[in-house]
Amino acid sequence: MRLLTLAAALAFAALSTAGAQQSPTVVIIVRHAEKAAAPANDPPLTDAGAARARALATALADANVQAVITTQLLRTRETARPLAEARGLTMETVPTGAAAAHAQAVADAVRKHAGKTVLVVGHSNTVTPIIAALGGPKLADLCDSQYSNLYTVVLDGAAARLVVGTYGEPSPAVATGCPQMK
């Protein structure tokens, strides 16, 4: 079902611009996969996180991803690595910083890949600001336990459409006050 959601989102992007002169830019945004507790400053993925990274590569195998953008932190790079390696892509790094400035820097990096499909791997506090910086809606930050969300932003001229889905194993139930993906 989750793969069907992604396939529908990508088909929607392709069909909605079939008559357009320039192809849309399709931006797939995820939070890094499950991370270890240590070292606190730059932890690697857990076994569950590594499995989620492989699930992301599988989910996006036919999405024609042409660029991958991560932060400098190990957990984002490890999340993107299986897909980047499968596609023969070099990951681009946009360093972390203040969420709004980082989101704008990522949006600027995405716009350099106009007409392509781009994977962006961010953090719980940067995924939704990145969506907003691309012209999508303003959403609440992700909760710490949310890893399975997959956001597809289709940039077509001045329009930005958001399709929300999931991939891999469902995230655990979120705490009260956290947005729940359905």
Side-chain angles (χ1 to χ4, degrees):
M1 181 64 174
R2 288 182 291 273
L3 292 178
L4 181 59
T5 301
L6 176 62
L10 293 174
F12 172 74
L15 290 175
S16 66
T17 59
Q21 292 181 358
Q22 181 181 10
S23 296
T25 304
V26 178
V27 188
I28 301 164
I29 308 165
V30 299
R31 178 189 180 199
H32 62 77
E34 291 87 338
K35 62 181 180 172
N41 64 337
D42 194 11
L45 296 182
T46 62
D47 289 343
R52 184 172 304 282
R54 291 187 301 273
L56 180 63
T58 299
L60 300 181
D62 295 326
N64 193 29
V65 172
Q66 297 159 295
V68 176
I69 299 171
T70 70
T71 69
Q72 77 280 10
L73 298 173
L74 185 58
R75 57 193 174 267
T76 63
R77 293 181 290 123
E78 286 184 348
T79 301
R81 182 172 289 118
L83 178 67
E85 287 178 353
R87 304 264 324 145
L89 299 171
T90 300
M91 293 183 275
E92 299 174 36
T93 302
V94 176
T96 57
H102 173 74
Q104 189 57 55
V106 170
D108 292 344
V110 164
R111 288 187 179 97
K112 293 178 184 175
H113 299 285
K116 297 181 179 178
T117 300
V118 181
L119 170 65
V120 174
V121 181
H123 300 271
S124 61
N125 66 333
T126 65
V127 166
T128 60
I130 291 167
I131 292 167
L134 290 167
K138 291 179 178 18
L139 304 171
D141 284 345
L142 302 178
C143 292
D144 198 48
S145 63
Q146 290 180 291
Y147 294 99
S148 61
N149 304 347
L150 186 143
Y151 302 90
T152 303
V153 179
V154 181
L155 304 174
D156 189 11
R161 294 180 305 277
L162 175 66
V163 179
V164 181
T166 61
Y167 75 100
E169 291 295 318
S171 293
V174 295
T176 303
C178 291
Q180 177 71 38
M181 296 302 299
K182 298 189 182 197

